[in-house]
Amino acid sequence: MQDKGNVDPQDQRRRRYRAFAIAVGCLMLLLGVGALAGWLLQIAIVISLIPGFPSMAFNTALGFVLSGVGLAASMLSDRRSRIAATVMAGLAAAIAAARLVEIATFGRHFHNIDLLISQLLVPPDFIAAIGGGMGPNTALIFLIANLSLLLSLHLENSKSQVVQELTSYVVITLGMIALAGYVTDAEQGYRWGPYAAMALHTAIGMVVFGCGLVARSWWMQPANRAQIPLLIPAAVCFTALLVDLYTPLGLANGILYVPLVLTALWFGNRNAPLFFAFTCTVLLMLGFFAVRHDEASFWQEIANRTITAATLWLIAILVFYFLRNNHNLEAERIRFGALVRSTPDAVIVIDGRGTIKSFNPAAESMFGYAPQETIGRNIKMLMPEPYHSEHDGYLTHYRQTGEERIIGTTRMVSGRRKNGIVFPIEVSISVVFSGETKTFVGIVRDISERARQEERMKTTLAQLEAYTAELERSNHDLDEFAYIASHDLKEPLRGLHNHSRFLLEDYEDKLDDDGVRRLNRLVRLSQRMEKLVNDLLYFSRLGRQQLAVKRTDIGLIVKDVVATMELLLEERHARVVIDGRLPEVVCDAPRLTEVFRNLITNAIKYNDKPAPLVSIGYLERYVGGDGTIARNVFFVRDNGKGIPREFHEDIFRIFKRLEKSQDSDDGTGAGLTFVRKIIARHNGDIWLESEVGAGTTFYFTLGKKREGQNAAA
């Protein structure tokens, strides 16, 4: 259930307009029923109110009943009520239209439309005694009012609302003209020509009917409702018409009608001044025709009223454009206010003396002050020292010299919260000129988090510099180790090798078979040890040496590698084929030559087939069995033994060999380690697919890793 304190003000207005319109419909129904009762019961005083005054015709009373029910039913939202409103308003409009056609066709002596219904219910003698019928002004009001009601029922848009509002003003005006005629004893106000006149209570009912139509039009679009009661312009109309009727040559009407047009300034509808200008023009014309004129003043009064009407329309047009511009400015103000309220940055507006004029919600949450605590106080309250003391001096200097030091720029300064905490902010200040007045708009952003991140970044950079220095020291130590390994460690190995060779050459005939075997073993171990040391030194340098990259034809590299391996290929009856065309890539050619040499050599050495076959190719797009995708992939495929899946990662470990080849003494088991390191230096990745007994395929990329995979460097 909605809290009454949270009801939308626009909904409250709509409810009031709806209740008022329904009340007007009920009053019209009571008026019509009362007059019909007077006809049926033959009570003349109910029909005419005052002896000698015109009486309310039977059809006029019926028109009030139909129009009242139609107006009240039109305010209800259910389908039956809308149908009832349409039927009632349609019948009332049809009766009024038929009466107007009768007057225009047959003249004042015919009242067949009135007699058509009344003679069935009322004695002819009483009808003849009362006489008359529905007047043309009454018929016109019923017609236009009910037509506008029908239009608004079936075309619910802004145009139908405007039409109904304009119609309501016309209805009120015509009703008030008739009332003014009764007050001033000017028969022309309530009797148009020689036709039947509008009764006094009919005129009152018409004014009430018009007010109900106004309420309904504002109920349709409450944003267009008047900000002052309609009673005020209505009273102005009535007074102006009275004065007009008693003022010679129509001199006073312009003085009173101008304020009526100006009351449109208090109406939300921008078309209100044009409505009032139209109403005043009708009043001017009726005021002219309501009195008799002598020949001397006839044309002079026409000229006066023409000038007055032109002046009223000129003022109405000026007021219309003023309201339109004011509406546009108000819309822009609302949009700007919504932008300022919703922006995440603090927006603070100050005047030329530093007094705060505006403080948006973001500024509230940033500084901790409520708007009422800051507005009217100096902006210095939000500043710590030294900005607190320097601010007034800067404003004074700016007023005296016009020199802009920070306007139009973005500065990083400090702000002070309500609790006294000082925090870093970023301020952009702009100046807005309104005549001679200068207003400063400051956009403030809290950069505390950014400052913390910068501080963390500085700490991280300091740590990185320390790590870099440590890495440089470690690399220096590694270089020293490499120097020691290449000289001091290899020298005793060479000594062991040489002395073993000397012993074999000089004392082989004096040693038994076991001694010779052991010396030969010592020679081979010293040679292998030297190879291991060389491979270890080479591996350490791979990660630190710069690559000599250039555009290289991979096909030429493969052909050069195959040419250097002719002897091995002949011994093993092996073949190397290139599957398709190999592209040109940017790489370090000597290093990539080593990659292909190692992969091809392994494919031949660890092959149990009588005719080993090695295929080398290139794929623009590769899709693996596990769903990984890669582009620009090279492959080296053999028909050898294959590698079990559990060893796919072990084979890349340095000095790790799954089995000995036929010439295993020639290798150390570091070849694939070198291959992965070289490919990683090229920002690539290497992986394999293998089937035991069917062969192995090594895939690798240069410059891009597989999607979803990370290669170990």
Side-chain angles (χ1 to χ4, degrees):
M1 185 173 180
Q2 189 178 24
D3 186 3
K4 292 183 178 180
N6 296 326
V7 176
D8 187 358
Q10 183 167 300
D11 290 339
Q12 291 181 342
R13 288 195 297 269
R14 285 176 59 88
R15 293 174 184 175
R16 289 198 297 268
Y17 299 147
R18 179 173 177 270
F20 182 80
I22 293 175
V24 167
C26 294
L27 288 175
M28 293 172 61
L29 174 62
L30 292 175
L31 177 62
V33 169
L36 287 177
W39 276 97
L40 295 176
L41 299 176
Q42 302 180 30
I43 305 174
I45 192 65
V46 174
I47 302 174
S48 61
L49 289 185
I50 299 175
F53 273 30
S55 302
M56 181 185 296
F58 186 91
N59 278 3
T60 301
L62 182 60
F64 274 117
V65 171
L66 296 174
S67 299
V69 173
L71 177 61
S74 69
M75 305 305 297
L76 304 177
S77 57
D78 60 286
R79 184 171 177 270
R80 292 182 178 180
S81 298
R82 295 176 66 86
I83 294 175
T86 301
V87 172
M88 295 299 177
L91 288 175
I95 293 173
R99 176 57 177 159
L100 287 174
V101 171
E102 183 182 54
I103 292 174
T105 305
F106 300 106
R108 63 174 179 168
H109 298 292
F110 291 87
H111 306 287
N112 294 329
I113 300 298
D114 291 277
L115 295 175
L116 182 64
I117 301 175
S118 61
Q119 67 184 359
L120 299 177
L121 304 172
V122 182
D125 295 340
F126 186 74
I127 296 176
I130 298 297
M134 182 185 291
N137 45 359
T138 303
L140 178 62
I141 292 175
F142 275 136
L143 178 63
I144 63 175
N146 285 284
L147 286 178
S148 72
L149 189 59
L150 289 171
L151 179 66
S152 65
L153 280 170
H154 299 283
L155 292 176
E156 296 183 0
N157 53 36
S158 59
K159 291 183 178 179
S160 64
Q161 185 272 336
V162 170
V163 170
Q164 187 162 94
E165 187 169 355
L166 176 60
T167 302
S168 64
Y169 295 147
V170 174
V171 170
I172 293 173
T173 301
L174 294 176
M176 294 184 64
I177 289 171
L179 287 178
Y182 279 105
V183 173
T184 61
D185 198 21
E187 187 176 345
Q188 294 88 345
Y190 55 85
R191 185 190 301 276
W192 290 6
Y195 305 101
M198 181 186 293
L200 176 60
H201 43 336
T202 301
I204 296 173
M206 291 305 178
V207 174
V208 175
F209 191 13
C211 293
L213 291 176
V214 170
R216 189 180 191 283
S217 69
W218 292 347
W219 171 75
M220 293 171 63
Q221 289 191 359
N224 291 334
R225 89 274 184 259
Q227 297 176 1
I228 60 173
L230 191 63
L231 178 64
I232 295 177
V236 174
C237 284
F238 189 76
T239 305
L241 186 60
L242 290 179
V243 174
D244 189 16
L245 294 174
Y246 285 97
T247 302
L249 304 180
L251 295 177
N253 55 61
I255 299 174
L256 292 174
Y257 290 144
V258 167
L260 175 61
V261 175
L262 292 178
T263 58
L265 290 170
W266 286 272
F267 279 69
N269 193 331
R270 288 177 292 173
N271 298 316
L274 303 180
F275 295 161
F276 286 151
F278 174 78
T279 302
C280 292
T281 303
V282 173
L283 292 174
L284 283 171
M285 296 174 62
L286 292 175
F288 175 77
F289 291 109
V291 295
R292 296 177 180 177
H293 309 278
D294 54 33
E295 187 176 353
S297 62
F298 183 80
W299 293 107
Q300 185 177 0
E301 186 168 349
I302 288 180
N304 288 339
R305 291 182 183 273
T306 302
I307 294 173
T308 299
T311 303
L312 289 175
W313 278 100
L314 177 61
I315 294 174
I317 292 172
L318 293 176
V319 173
F320 170 79
Y321 281 106
F322 172 79
L323 288 176
R324 189 181 70 172
N325 294 336
N326 189 59
H327 174 77
N328 294 336
L329 289 174
E330 181 66 15
E332 290 297 326
R333 186 190 69 79
I334 292 173
R335 282 195 290 268
F336 178 75
L339 178 64
V340 169
R341 286 191 299 272
S342 61
T343 181
D345 295 330
V347 179
I348 304 174
V349 179
I350 64 172
D351 61 14
R353 298 190 175 276
T355 303
I356 299 174
K357 298 298 182 182
S358 178
F359 203 71
N360 76 331
E364 295 180 47
S365 60
M366 183 181 297
F367 290 95
Y369 289 99
Q372 58 269 24
E373 296 179 283
T374 58
I375 294 176
R377 298 179 62 184
N378 196 288
I379 190 68
K380 294 189 302 182
M381 65 181 294
L382 306 178
M383 302 178 182
E385 294 293 348
Y387 309 106
H388 183 90
S389 303
E390 295 174 352
H391 187 262
D392 286 344
Y394 171 76
L395 286 179
T396 302
H397 177 79
Y398 175 76
R399 287 196 300 268
Q400 293 174 352
T401 64
E403 180 183 355
E404 298 178 353
R405 295 177 181 174
I406 63 173
I407 294 175
T409 64
T410 300
R411 296 183 63 197
M412 292 179 59
V413 293
S414 297
R416 183 175 62 194
R417 305 189 200 273
K418 184 178 180 179
N419 56 12
I421 295 177
V422 177
F423 64 104
I425 57 176
E426 193 174 67
V427 181
S428 299
I429 300 177
S430 59
V431 60
V432 179
F433 293 91
S434 179
E436 297 296 327
T437 305
K438 295 178 182 178
T439 302
F440 300 93
V441 180
I443 300 177
V444 184
R445 179 171 297 172
D446 186 348
I447 58 172
S448 300
E449 183 60 29
R450 191 171 79 184
R452 285 192 290 270
Q453 290 178 353
E454 290 177 353
E455 189 63 30
R456 286 195 294 266
M457 187 176 294
K458 289 179 181 178
T459 303
T460 303
L461 288 175
Q463 292 175 348
L464 185 59
E465 290 176 356
Y467 293 153
T468 303
E470 181 64 21
L471 183 60
E472 290 178 353
R473 186 191 63 77
S474 177
N475 286 337
H476 179 70
D477 294 343
L478 187 60
D479 289 338
E480 289 184 352
F481 167 76
Y483 177 79
I484 293 172
S486 61
H487 292 81
D488 299 347
L489 189 60
K490 290 170 67 176
E491 183 176 350
L493 288 175
R494 293 192 188 99
L496 288 173
H497 178 267
N498 292 335
H499 285 294
S500 299
R501 296 290 297 178
F502 292 155
L503 287 173
L504 285 173
E505 292 175 1
D506 295 341
Y507 300 99
E508 184 177 6
D509 55 343
K510 298 178 180 180
L511 296 173
D512 56 12
D513 293 340
D514 185 60
V516 173
R517 182 180 59 80
R518 291 181 183 277
L519 284 176
N520 285 326
R521 179 66 174 168
L522 185 61
V523 170
R524 287 193 299 271
L525 289 176
S526 62
Q527 289 175 337
R528 178 168 174 75
M529 183 63 182
E530 186 173 2
K531 288 182 180 180
L532 290 173
V533 171
N534 289 334
D535 287 348
L536 187 61
L537 292 174
Y538 179 71
F539 180 75
S540 68
R541 291 168 183 162
L542 273 178
R544 295 182 292 113
Q545 292 178 345
Q546 294 294 326
L547 297 179
V549 296
K550 63 179 180 179
R551 182 163 291 279
T552 305
D553 189 341
I554 301 300
L556 294 178
I557 289 180
V558 174
K559 290 179 181 179
D560 289 342
V561 171
V562 173
T564 62
M565 299 175 62
E566 287 183 357
L567 182 59
L568 177 63
L569 294 175
E570 290 178 2
E571 291 177 354
R572 300 297 180 85
H573 306 288
R575 286 192 308 125
V576 178
V577 297
I578 298 177
D579 187 1
R581 183 179 178 277
L582 299 178
E584 293 184 355
V585 297
V586 177
C587 64
D588 186 325
R591 301 295 185 219
L592 208 59
T593 300
E594 186 173 352
V595 168
F596 280 105
R597 180 180 292 109
N598 275 292
L599 293 176
I600 295 172
T601 300
N602 287 346
I604 296 173
K605 281 184 177 182
Y606 302 99
N607 197 306
D608 58 352
K609 302 300 186 295
L613 176 64
V614 181
S615 177
I616 300 173
Y618 171 78
L619 300 173
E620 291 187 354
R621 187 173 187 272
Y622 162 85
V623 179
D626 58 352
T628 57
I629 300 174
R631 298 185 183 277
N632 304 323
V633 178
F634 295 93
F635 66 85
V636 177
R637 181 179 295 119
D638 64 60
N639 61 342
K641 300 178 181 180
I643 303 172
R645 177 171 293 276
E646 62 266 23
F647 299 117
H648 283 192
E649 192 63 30
D650 289 345
I651 61 176
F652 292 105
R653 292 169 55 189
I654 191 167
F655 304 143
K656 178 69 175 179
R657 291 188 296 178
L658 299 183
E659 61 177 87
K660 295 182 179 180
S661 67
Q662 297 176 9
D663 50 358
S664 59
D665 290 339
D666 294 335
T668 62
L672 289 178
T673 306
F674 297 158
V675 168
R676 172 177 274 190
K677 190 70 174 181
I678 293 170
I679 291 175
R681 289 296 309 279
H682 285 79
N683 294 320
D685 188 14
I686 183 170
W687 66 98
L688 69 146
E689 293 179 356
S690 182
E691 182 179 352
V692 176
T696 302
T697 303
F698 283 88
Y699 299 94
F700 65 90
T701 60
L702 299 174
K704 185 174 294 185
K705 300 181 184 294
R706 287 179 293 163
E707 297 179 15
Q709 297 288 332
N710 290 314

